[in-house]
Amino acid sequence: SALCTSEIEAAAAAIARGEATICCAQEQQVFEELAGEIDAPSPPCLDLRDRAGWTEDTASTLPKMSALVAEAGLSVPAAKSIDVISEGLCLVLGPAEIALQAAEKLQDALAVTVLLDDGTEPPMTRTFEVIRGRLTHAAGALGQFDLRFDALQQLEPTGRNWGWGAPRDGGRTNCDIILDLTGDTSLFPAPEKREGYLRADPKLAPSIADAVLQAVQLVGTFEKPLFVRNEPLLCAHSRAGQTGCSNCLDICPTGAITANGDHVSIDPMICAGCGSCASLCPSGALTYDAPPTDSLFRRIQTLATAFLDAGGSAPRLLVVNEHGRDMISYAARLGRGLPADVVPLEVEALNTYGHAEILAALAAGFAHVDILLSPTVEREVLEREVALAKAIAGDKMALLDHFDPEGLSSALFEASVPAANTNIVRPVGTRRQITRQAAKALNPEATALTLPIDAPYGAVLVDTSACTLCLSCVSLCPSGALGDNPDQPQLRFQEDACLQCGICASACPENAIALEPQLNLADSALSQVVLHEEEPFGCVECGALFGVKSTVEKIVEKLAGKHSMYQNSDAARMIQMCDNCRVDAQYHQVNSPLSGGERPRVRTTDDYLSKRRDH
């Protein structure tokens, strides 16, 4: 009951043996320092009291405590990162009076340059730099901002009267930090997520003071996490100029994702790690990597397994981020806490918890999944993912929009809980594979589920009366869902691989393809089926099969005797020949453009010697 004070020797002994899990985050620093003093690894720590122990629910909290302790014992891989170096080069923007005051406060800690408006007189100081002009372009993030100016004038502090140099366009420079005190439109989308870009309301002195304090702390070497892993070969953005999936481009709040040919590229310095792109990526080309996605699935399954093994039934999962963690703490200390059957799961980025994660939790034994929204989350992403999950598993998940701890507690205590899934599975693999396995467990009698129009699962419908089997769709399909048969004219399709990117439909010259969002749970979805096939045409010369009979006949009908190149029967007959026979016929026809004159005889040594003897 007092391990951090009078019983600290018992804690030290347990930590030294490697047997301790500290269930009090309030005193985490004390136990970490204790581990350092005895040269032992820091023990895992969790808020067991706030998240499980302090509640008005009279039911046993042992299953939830067991689940949280089991999760705390998992080893989660550390996020990959790169070093970002900031040397303190700071550009200050804003009205002259305010910007110059801020520069005076920063001049001892940073290398400051103030951008003044046209007509502003220069200050009589050289403790920081001043320039005048218009900022026309800003890109980058902390440590690598790229800036461009027009009408740029630099100060010429010579003689008694200082003045400005001649203006010039196209000035370019770099800086590490931008302090924006203009109060105008932000230089960047989602400015709160752009590291190194600090904004403050010029009318509020506390706001300016906070921004100045933050700027002073942005000097040194920082670790920038690599939030998202990109596999360009899996990307379904476009093929041969035909645009397909653009989910990540449309949703990225910071503009870190840009089109790069048939694929997309991510600027890791701008990426803020919201995880929206990873949730919406249909192919798995973009996956969250801080920590890796598979570690999240392990945590979900560990929580469910430990809860059920400890005698609990029908647990509910509450997914939160740092904001939600604080809400739970306030609810526990000041209010009713959480119900005994509600198991909280804290994630780094709330938008990474998409439909695959929701379905995995339900399949693992959770009866319901709630996601607590926070002020900075991209809500439309979660709404889209929850709608997709509901189409697959029914009304067993919800978004909670509460910013009052008491409101959160009331919503959870008063909610009706559906029965838990009895067909428990723990799916593994990619997010698409996990979705399919979980959906089969949650819908054991279903064969196909109708999905929303923007779902990444579905079928391809082919109008066989319009399709000519040109196979343009096959050559452009980024996932290989559409295929052909090298032995006969066939269009084949594997539904499980289809991303519903739409490239095939946009590339079809006959407009014969349509998409049907659905999740086919039958085994046939895992193998190729024939969407359209026709009889091949036999060469009139050698009998070899080539092309499509209906297409060849249609070409003959349109060209024979009607086109200048096919006026005679021999020329028209070439349309009905395979490649080899057609070339042979063209070569041997009268006045063939492919035939040349008689080849000259090869000269030999005897020819040269006989010519010499004759002379």
Side-chain angles (χ1 to χ4, degrees), residues 130-142:
V130 290
I131 56 176
R132 196 163 68 173
R134 298 190 310 275
L135 179 61
T136 59
H137 171 81
L142 176 66

Side-chain angles (χ1 to χ4, degrees), residues 121-126 155-164:
E121 294 300 321
M124 293 298 177
T125 178
R126 294 296 291 157
L155 187 62
E156 294 181 351
T158 57
R160 179 177 180 181
N161 298 317
W162 293 5
W164 297 103

Side-chain angles (χ1 to χ4, degrees), residues 577-600:
M577 297 180 186
C578 66
D579 294 344
N580 293 332
C581 294
R582 187 181 306 119
V583 171
D584 186 66
Q586 286 178 322
Y587 183 80
H588 290 96
Q589 68 181 342
V590 178
N591 298 323
S592 170
L594 300 179
S595 64
E598 183 179 353
R599 292 184 62 185

Side-chain angles (χ1 to χ4, degrees), residues 48-101:
L48 198 60
R49 298 181 308 177
D50 293 4
R51 298 202 291 169
W54 290 341
T55 174
E56 291 187 3
D57 196 340
T58 57
S60 172
T61 58
L62 177 62
K64 177 159 66 168
M65 290 185 173
S66 300
L68 295 175
V69 171
E71 182 212 2
L74 294 176
S75 59
V76 178
K80 303 179 182 67
S81 64
I82 56 176
D83 288 342
V84 176
I85 300 176
S86 171
E87 297 178 347
L89 301 177
C90 179
L91 175 68
V92 181
L93 311 174
E97 180 180 356
I98 297 174
L100 293 174
Q101 290 179 0

Side-chain angles (χ1 to χ4, degrees), residues 72-308:
L74 294 176
S75 59
V76 178
K80 303 179 182 67
S81 64
I82 56 176
D83 288 342
V84 176
I85 300 176
S86 171
E87 297 178 347
L89 301 177
C90 179
L91 175 68
V92 181
L93 311 174
E97 180 180 356
I98 297 174
L100 293 174
Q101 290 179 0
E104 291 176 357
K105 297 177 182 178
L106 293 170
Q107 62 187 6
D108 294 332
L110 305 177
V112 181
T113 298
V114 180
L115 176 62
L116 301 176
D117 296 331
D118 293 342
T120 304
E121 294 300 321
M124 293 298 177
T125 178
R126 294 296 291 157
T127 54
F128 53 84
E129 296 291 334
V130 290
I131 56 176
R132 196 163 68 173
R134 298 190 310 275
L135 179 61
T136 59
H137 171 81
L142 176 66
Q144 56 170 15
F145 284 108
D146 179 52
L147 310 172
R148 298 177 189 176
F149 304 89
D150 280 346
L152 177 63
Q153 294 178 278
Q154 293 180 285
L155 187 62
E156 294 181 351
T158 57
R160 179 177 180 181
N161 298 317
W162 293 5
W164 297 103
R168 61 187 179 89
D169 293 339
R172 185 169 182 173
T173 189
N174 302 96
C175 72
D176 300 314
I177 307 162
I178 298 178
L179 178 57
D180 187 351
L181 306 177
T182 62
D184 296 335
T185 304
S186 168
L187 298 178
F188 306 99
E192 70 282 356
K193 298 182 179 182
R194 181 73 58 136
E195 295 183 358
Y197 178 61
L198 308 174
R199 298 183 73 206
D201 188 340
K203 298 178 182 179
L204 299 177
S207 177
I208 297 175
D210 288 344
V212 168
L213 179 60
Q214 292 180 52
V216 171
Q217 297 172 347
L218 293 179
V219 180
T221 301
F222 303 89
E223 288 189 353
K224 170 67 175 177
L226 300 176
F227 293 107
V228 178
R229 185 172 70 247
N230 186 11
E231 297 288 347
L233 293 179
L234 300 178
C235 181
H237 171 56
S238 68
R239 292 293 185 275
Q242 300 294 331
T243 301
C245 173
S246 60
N247 289 344
C248 58
L249 294 168
D250 296 338
I251 200 62
C252 182
T254 63
I257 304 177
T258 55
N260 183 17
D262 288 343
H263 317 296
V264 298
S265 60
I266 301 179
D267 187 340
M269 305 305 297
I270 299 177
C271 176
C274 69
S276 299
C277 57
S279 290
L280 297 181
C281 180
S283 66
L286 302 181
T287 53
Y288 199 74
D289 203 34
T293 302
D294 58 349
S295 66
L296 178 57
F297 287 112
R298 278 203 313 274
R299 293 173 63 195
I300 294 170
Q301 294 170 2
T302 298
L303 287 171
T305 301
F307 189 98
L308 298 175

